[in-house]
Each structure stands twice: as structure tokens, then as C-alpha cells.
Amino acid sequence: MVVSVSQLLLFGTLLFSGLLYHAVIQNGNMTSTRRPNFIIILADDIGWGDLGANQQERQKLSNTPNLDLMAQEGMRLTDFHSPASTCSPSRAALLTGRHGLRNGVTHNFAVGSVGGLPLSETTLAEILHQNGYYTAMIGKWHLGHNGPYSPTNRGFDYYLGIPYSNDMGCTDQPGYDIPPCLPCEPGSQIQHYRVSKAGHSSCYSKVALPLFENETIVEQPLDLWRLTQRYTSTALDVILKARKQAQPFLLYMALAHMHVPLSPHFHVPLPSAPHPSEGAVYAASLRDMDELVGAIKNASDASEKDNTLIWFTGDNGPWDQKCLYSGSVGPFQGKWQTSRGGGSAKRTTWEGGHRVPTVAYWPGRVPANSTSSALLSGLDIFPTLLSLAGVKPLPDRRYDGMDATDVLLHGTETGHKFLFHPNSGAAGKYGDLQTVRMGRHKAFYITGGAEACSGSTGKEELHDPPLIFDLSQDKAEETTLDPTTEEYREAEERGRRAREVLLYDIATDPLLSTADYTTDQSAAPCCDRRHASCRCSSG
């Protein structure tokens, strides 16, 4: 058998990490023999302003009481960003600690995708699994569903979930739920039905939405109304199993909430009017998600109250074009863009697309009722969890995340000096690092390209010199700094130099990966190809 250099490096890393098997950071010292458990809860298409604890109007009724309690008993991270502003690249960066330009995932995979997250990349789950952790994933994967790209081949011992977004396949009655689409046709002909109001999007009806358990489709089309309950009970089983085995665990929960279609499990009746009351369906779905989070928190508290870190965050901001069915960006409105047409949330590098509600909860470790404004990213989850587990990352890799242990445990405000946002499907080339945060300043090299609720799409514009905003004075990103001022010139030079350094580092990285974005109709997941809508049931 031929052993590659990367395999030797991985073996060496794991051997070294094995020496740390009985150690974990406790209060800054390697003294405890109990390694921590990790629960990552990743919400889909959630707005910074959706979290009650982030809302300025305290008199407003919160739809997230469990998350608010978790923030009160833990730490609210107010300047935390998704690594990208759409699904696949954000998730790939979270699991690898590397930008899409390094890990190869720069845009979304499709129902018929042949590939996924490149096999040359090593995930957080793989490293923790090799170091004695029980690893489980529940929810949306969206990093490749065929063969070696599936979750159980990327470090997870167990998987239950859907392979991509919950609108990438038809479902049975009530169809696409809210907003509605026609249900799957049981016969040989699948109709294609376009949403004309309150959605601005086509309904995908070519293949039924599947539910996987490990590598087997157990239900197709799945029942979206039961999905929250199924995810909750499975998560509780994972926690209980790990507890019985006295084994540290990683549970990665990638929720269907708050991605359209919305399916709160207590069933919001479809209104007879074309539009439901303002925000009612979205609010109900937020409460549904919050109940799920509360159930997981309660189960964790009951079993491992002092030894489980729960990290809640989002994969990107709200989906503007879904109108009443999208979330709140809070004060981060991207007014420079919206005043010129187009959206300023999901798929964009405006604050509304990247700044996501984030809470870290770890009783006795993360200071209670604390807030951090450190500039952090989903890229940081990878190195931080490895550090807390006493495990070293692969020495041959270049990473873009930072270890945020001191922020979480000791209240330091030292985050990234520079944080780069890639194009995630709006303007420019996929993966391009076209926006840079540097302290309170933010520079845009390209803008436009995302669809708004109105249907308008902002004109793609290159900016040389870049647009620069001072977020300490202008959270809404409405008014650019005057290019003739010293403040602008200093910020522009810092951003330009940092961007050049990072782009050179990526260009000279010997371990860049390239994702296979080839699609083939036969690659679509289907449990019974005799039925056009792919039908099977675990019952």
C-alpha cells in the first residue's frame, strides 16, 4: 500500500494528539481528564435581528426565549460572521477552517452534483473522530451526497438529514408548505409549478426531497412537518448514547430553519389570503427552531452541565427575495445597496449577509451574561474546538480561522485584525475575497448582484478605489467615507495590503483543493427509480 505524505502527516498529528487524550483546557490550564463535548447548531438563512437578545426594542415579544436564556447564561457574540453568505461554501469553511479559495467550495452543490467537498480536505469531524470522539451530524449537509462525499465518509459516525436545502425537491401534501408549491406527483409525470407571489422563485419538482440515515434513503419524499420532531428526538438520542458510553462527542446540527419553505411542526394553517399576516409564519418558525434549541440545551444540562460547549450560529443572513418569509438583519441594512436596487443580505458581502446571531454556552467555563464584540467568524470554530479538545490541526495545512478560546473563556476582545468575505453568488467571480473588514472599517471592491424582495437586482459595480464604511458610526452601511480624507487613505492602504498578503498566501498554498461541480441527472438521490418522484418510506 502506498502511503501519501498527507497521510503520514495525519498519522503523526493523531499520534501526537493521542498523548493528549486525557487532557482538556480548563480555565486556561491542561488539568482536567474529561474532554469537552461540542454541540454546533447551525441555523439556515437566519438574520442577526431574529435573536431576541439582539433586538433593541426590548418591549417587543421575543420569538427566541430559549436562545435568549442561553445568551443570558453564556456569551452573545455580536460581531460574528458566517464564512460565506450562501450554503455550501459557508459549511465547507466551518468544517475545514479554510476559505473557499483553499478548500475548493466556492458555490452551492446541486441535486445532480457528482462531487462535493474535495476528498483532499480534512474535516473537523475526521480529526475529532480519530481522537476518540463520537461524531454525529443531524440536518442539512450540502457538501456532496454521493459515495465518498457523504457525511459518514467525512468523519461522522452517524448521520440523519437531508443532503441539501429543503427547497431542492418536492414533498407530498401540503406540498411546498409555506409559501406553497404543488406536491409531488405519484405517477410518471412531474409538473413544474412556479410561485408567482411572495416567493419570486420556482418550485423544484423534478426529484422528491429525501431523508438519509447514514448512507440510506429512509424516506422520500420526506414529511417536512415532522422534521423538527425527528431531528430533536435523534439529537437527544445522540447525547444519551454518548453519555452512556462515557465518550466525548461532537454533535453538528445543521437545521432546516429558517430556510424557505417554512414548516413549523405545530402547523401554521395556510391562510386563504395571498399573503399571511406580517411575519406571522416566520415568527412561528422561529419559535419552532427555538424550542428545538431549548430541548437540546436541557438535555445537555441534565447530563453534562459543566462539560458541553453549545455554539449556536448561522450559515448566512436572511433570504431577501423571500419577502415575508425572510428574517431581520437588525440595524445592518446595507442601505448603500438597497437605495440603488438589489438585496443586501444572503449572497452578498454586506453586513446583513454575513453578520449572524451567535451564542456560546458552556456553564462554568464561558462567563454568564457576557457579550463580546470581537471580530470572529465561522472559520474559527474549527481551530477553537480542536484547541479545547487538546488536539492539533494538521501541520501541513494553511488555515484561515483563529483560536477563539481566550474570547470564549477569558473575555478578551482580540479577534481578527482582518476578516475577508467572498463572493457567494452575487457579483463577481465565485469565492473572490472582494470585501475586507478591518476593525470598524469595511472596504468593498465590488457590489451588486443579489435579488431583493421587489425583484430588483442591483447593478454589478467594481470599485477602484474601494467603497469604505465606518461601521462604528454607520451600521446601516449608508454613507461611504470621503476618499480625500486621511481616515479613508489609511484604511484603504491597510485593507489593500492585507488583501494582497492573503491572496498571495492562497496562490502559493501547495494544498489548494478543487471541487468537482459536474452534474449528472443520474447522480440525483433516488431510492426507487421506477417512480419519477422517487418514493420510499421507512414505515
Side-chain angles (χ1 to χ4, degrees), residues 215-236:
E215 295 185 54
T216 302
I217 298 175
V218 294
E219 186 179 340
Q220 191 175 16
L222 69 83
D223 182 352
L224 282 172
W225 296 103
R226 295 178 55 244
L227 193 60
T228 299
Q229 292 172 317
R230 198 160 189 170
Y231 280 1
T232 302
S233 61
T234 303
L236 302 187

Side-chain angles (χ1 to χ4, degrees), residues 39 41 138 231-232 235-236 239 251 253 255 290-302 310:
I39 300 176
I41 304 176
I138 299 171
Y231 280 1
T232 302
L236 302 187
I239 294 171
L251 172 58
M253 289 207 67
L255 308 180
D290 185 70
E291 287 183 5
L292 185 157
V293 173
I296 293 171
K297 175 183 179 295
N298 291 338
S300 175
D301 286 350
I310 302 178

Side-chain angles (χ1 to χ4, degrees), residues 11 32 87 191 283 436:
F11 175 77
S32 174
C87 307
Q191 295 181 0
V436 55

Side-chain angles (χ1 to χ4, degrees), residues 49-80:
D50 290 342
L51 180 65
N54 281 347
Q55 295 168 2
Q56 298 299 313
E57 320 89 54
R58 294 297 179 182
Q59 72 277 12
K60 182 178 178 181
L61 179 64
S62 171
N63 292 305
T64 59
N66 290 293
L67 273 165
D68 297 345
L69 177 61
M70 202 162 82
Q72 184 179 348
E73 296 176 349
M75 178 179 289
R76 187 168 57 100
L77 299 163
T78 60
D79 204 356
F80 192 95

Side-chain angles (χ1 to χ4, degrees), residues 88 107-116 142-147 149 163-165 167-169 204-210 212 220 515-526 529 534:
S88 295
H107 54 291
N108 285 344
F109 293 105
V111 172
S113 284
V114 172
H142 216 168
L143 292 174
H145 50 270
N146 286 297
Y149 298 100
Y164 30 64
S165 299
D167 63 342
M168 294 171 67
Y204 185 95
S205 57
K206 295 179 181 178
V207 178
L209 190 63
F212 276 80
Q220 191 175 16
D516 180 3
Y517 278 98
T518 303
T519 60
D520 188 310
Q521 187 176 356
S522 65
C526 190
R529 296 189 182 277
C534 301

